[in-house]
Amino acid sequence: MQERRDPEDEILRALERASREAFPEVGAEIGRIFAADFSLGTPPPDRDGDYSSNIAFLLKKPVKRSPLEIAREIAARFEGPAVSEAVPPGFINLTLDDEARYAFLAGMDDPRWASRRAKQPSRVNIEFVSANPTGPLHVGHGRGAVIGDVLARLLANAGHDVTREYYLNDVGRQIELLGESLLYKVCEIRGDSRGRFRDEYRGGYIEELAREFLNSRPELFVEETDESLIEEAGRFAKERLFEKIKRTLERLDIRFDVVTSEESLRSGISELLERLDRAGLLYEADRPRNTEARIRREDSKAAVYGEEMSGGTFLETSRFGDDEDRIVKRADGTTTYFTADIVYHIGKFERGFDEVIDIWGADHGGHVKRMRAALEGLGYDTKRFHVILCQMVRLLRDGREVKMSKRSGEMITLDELIDETGKDPIRFYFLMRTPNAPCDFDITLAVKASTENPVFYCQYAHARTCQILARGKRDGLEPSREQRVLTLLADPLEKDLVRFLLRIPDGLAAAARRREVHRLPEIALELARRFHRYQTAGKKNSGLRVVDKERSDLSAARLFLVDRVRRGMKTLLALMGVEAPEQM
RNA sequence: GCGCCCGUAGCUCAGUGGAUAGAGCGUUGGUCUCCGGAACCAAAGGCCGCAGGUUCAAAUCCUGCCGGGCGCGCCA
């Protein structure tokens, strides 16, 4: 195995040296620029050069000369593993020399070839899915699940220590209602029509659970009070439903390091209330202060829940940017979801995480401000708290929307979607779009085996590399990594492929820095596109064929390149959790 | 009314303050004596929602407006 080299890092250091040498009087400024996340760019495709730098523009102000002049001064003093050239209006384009180029390609043997350590590796907690155990996962949960999982992979690739966490809301009114719904169904099955229980949850899974519950408790209803029955039924249902949720996620290759249950936080709640009280952030009232004048829409969804408003203890989140104060303890002494959630988030910081990331559905958008306010009020650094909100998923079939409504029972569960398309299209499509925007998932397209289907397109590129390498082997040709041989890779299509491979580590580092997983499919698609182009060109022009016994040196070089593309694609697919098949 | 998010090619969307704004689909026209054509090439198609501002440089940052999505008591 060859030792890995990071040509970009070498070039950046050489650029810094040359800049200091050319303009020693602004050394401090230069140091600042290079210490930040300053990185190299890519020249337009029709220009020479593997990298480009805009350093001359950034130095224009302190140096007080034209960017082009500055670029020339720096380029003239540049000493590194590349040839540098200053071009108007002031870019410095750099072409890596052969030795560094092939050292990079050989370094791809190292499984960490695409991993570039973040400047400040940190302990990161990513909480995602966290669906309530009151029913099966739906398609929207799948989006958050995939984004959270791949963000974890991406940050780990950048050297961070990542914990995947699921927050289980396993107490409270909804679990009570779940228990009642189960008992309602039990009564129905038994022909008992006394109507003692509410049927909040009605899906087919409730009936299944009710039958299981009856089987395990044939003597049901003999002695118990309704209250203890509801609790037992709730516990029974939530445990089974959470198991089911975990099985669904495992089908997508998603697992968690830690599951924290709301129940386990109970002991921390009184402590939290005392702490908030000591900080002077609590008050008792019938309604939050300063909210009378606020206008609300009557058709607001949450109004449905607003039956009782008997007052209680409020937390002054409005002092820290929230729209109004939030209740943390009801008049009857019970606490709310929000109270437990504060305990939970404080706990994450107390456990030593440097950064806390939550991946929530768009319908939780209103919670961001209050959570941030609560943390700020307690003295935590809210810059270390990030929320990624996932917008809605619209399902399409044959280009038409699949309507989903709970009432009509026309829900497609995540399990059903996996049955239909398999894991890979789901993962890939949900990654393709920024979480900030709603996305469409076209079931018809997801199972198609052609260029139109991006996941197929990438997997096919990988399979194609494997088949070509196998073909070479049958003809007695093996990849070569001798620099003498590799200089034969002179066609523009080959140079373009190499140049693209060179930029992958930086692309991944940038994606990690910005916590943006949707860049991954983009990178994979571009690599696939370049490779397919190269292969089809070889069909047209036999001079570009990879496997050619008549020209064994050239073949060996090209096979090496094909093998590097294979590794590149495999790495990208692995980061996305998508399979890399050797044949389709 | 308030908050968050989104307005980029006919459609779906990329775009890290940099060079002539890019892909896929769709449209039109092409490509193989087949290393997997399950692929590729070319053409057409753009007031980057509108108006200001910051900057050497704005699709990108700031402000205001217009249009769309989601949310807006103590359900989680």
Side-chain angles (χ1 to χ4, degrees), chain A residues 336-388:
Chain A
T336 66
Y337 164 81
F338 179 48
T339 323
D341 213 16
I342 299 171
V343 175
Y344 176 47
H345 279 81
I346 288 174
K348 292 196 222 181
F349 283 109
E350 299 299 329
R351 278 188 274 155
F353 291 105
D354 305 308
E355 183 177 350
V356 169
I357 301 176
D358 288 349
I359 295 174
W360 290 347
D363 53 342
H364 284 59
H367 294 261
V368 178
K369 276 188 179 178
R370 72 188 64 165
M371 194 65 235
R372 179 159 274 135
L375 289 172
E376 195 181 329
L378 286 166
Y380 294 93
D381 180 3
T382 52
K383 284 201 293 291
R384 292 158 52 197
F385 173 60
H386 297 288
V387 179
I388 295 175

Side-chain angles (χ1 to χ4, degrees), chain A residues 381-504:
Chain A
D381 180 3
T382 52
K383 284 201 293 291
R384 292 158 52 197
F385 173 60
H386 297 288
V387 179
I388 295 175
L389 289 178
C390 294
Q391 298 294 321
M392 315 209 65
V393 176
R394 211 165 53 131
L395 268 188
L396 304 179
R397 194 189 292 280
D398 297 321
R400 254 177 302 184
E401 182 170 1
V402 181
K403 287 279 180 201
M404 296 211 282
S405 79
K406 267 184 181 161
R407 198 180 311 150
S408 67
E410 281 181 277
M411 280 293 282
I412 294 192
T413 65
L414 185 53
D415 257 317
E416 287 161 349
L417 188 65
I418 301 170
D419 289 341
E420 219 171 315
T421 70
K423 173 194 71 160
D424 291 339
I426 294 176
R427 293 195 64 119
F428 200 93
Y429 277 90
F430 283 155
L431 289 174
M432 274 207 308
R433 285 188 172 81
T434 162
N436 292 328
C439 85
D440 291 343
F441 185 96
D442 190 329
I443 300 175
T444 317
L445 182 56
V447 295
K448 229 182 225 177
S450 78
T451 316
E452 294 167 74
N453 180 349
V455 62
F456 172 85
Y457 188 73
C458 293
Q459 290 180 316
Y460 172 47
H462 179 266
R464 228 176 163 183
T465 59
C466 295
Q467 296 306 310
I468 290 162
L469 288 163
R471 170 62 191 261
K473 201 166 212 143
R474 281 200 296 277
D475 286 359
L477 293 166
E478 293 286 345
S480 163
R481 58 182 60 206
E482 278 180 67
Q483 192 179 320
R484 173 188 64 83
V485 175
L486 295 179
T487 40
L488 297 172
L489 296 172
D491 188 87
L493 290 168
E494 291 164 340
K495 287 180 157 172
D496 187 49
L497 265 173
V498 172
R499 182 203 270 189
F500 190 78
L501 290 170
L502 281 169
R503 302 313 315 267
I504 288 177

Side-chain angles (χ1 to χ4, degrees), chain A residues 175 179 183 226-236:
Chain A
I175 299 298
L183 293 170
D226 281 0
E227 206 171 294
S228 69
L229 256 181
I230 290 169
E231 203 195 315
E232 187 185 340
R235 193 180 324 115
F236 179 89

Side-chain angles (χ1 to χ4, degrees), chain A residues 4-8 41-42 49-51 96 100-110 112-116 157 461-462 465 486 489 492-509 522-532 534 557-573 575:
Chain A
R4 183 169 62 132
R5 268 181 76 177
D6 186 347
E8 283 177 41
T42 311
D50 299 308
Y51 308 97
L96 206 57
R101 182 183 307 267
Y102 301 123
F104 171 83
L105 291 177
M108 289 178 73
D109 289 334
D110 186 327
R112 292 169 301 123
W113 73 271
S115 150
R116 185 171 302 162
N157 184 64
H462 179 266
T465 59
L486 295 179
L489 296 172
L493 290 168
E494 291 164 340
K495 287 180 157 172
D496 187 49
L497 265 173
V498 172
R499 182 203 270 189
F500 190 78
L501 290 170
L502 281 169
R503 302 313 315 267
I504 288 177
D506 184 57
L508 297 179
E522 205 67 33
I523 297 172
L525 278 165
E526 271 201 57
L527 180 59
R529 193 172 300 128
R530 283 171 159 81
F531 182 68
H532 285 311
Y534 178 49
R558 287 178 171 166
L559 283 167
F560 182 65
L561 175 60
V562 169
D563 183 65
R564 299 298 100 168
V565 173
R566 179 185 67 80
R567 288 198 71 89
M569 187 56 80
K570 193 173 179 165
T571 301
L572 292 169
L573 291 173
L575 274 171

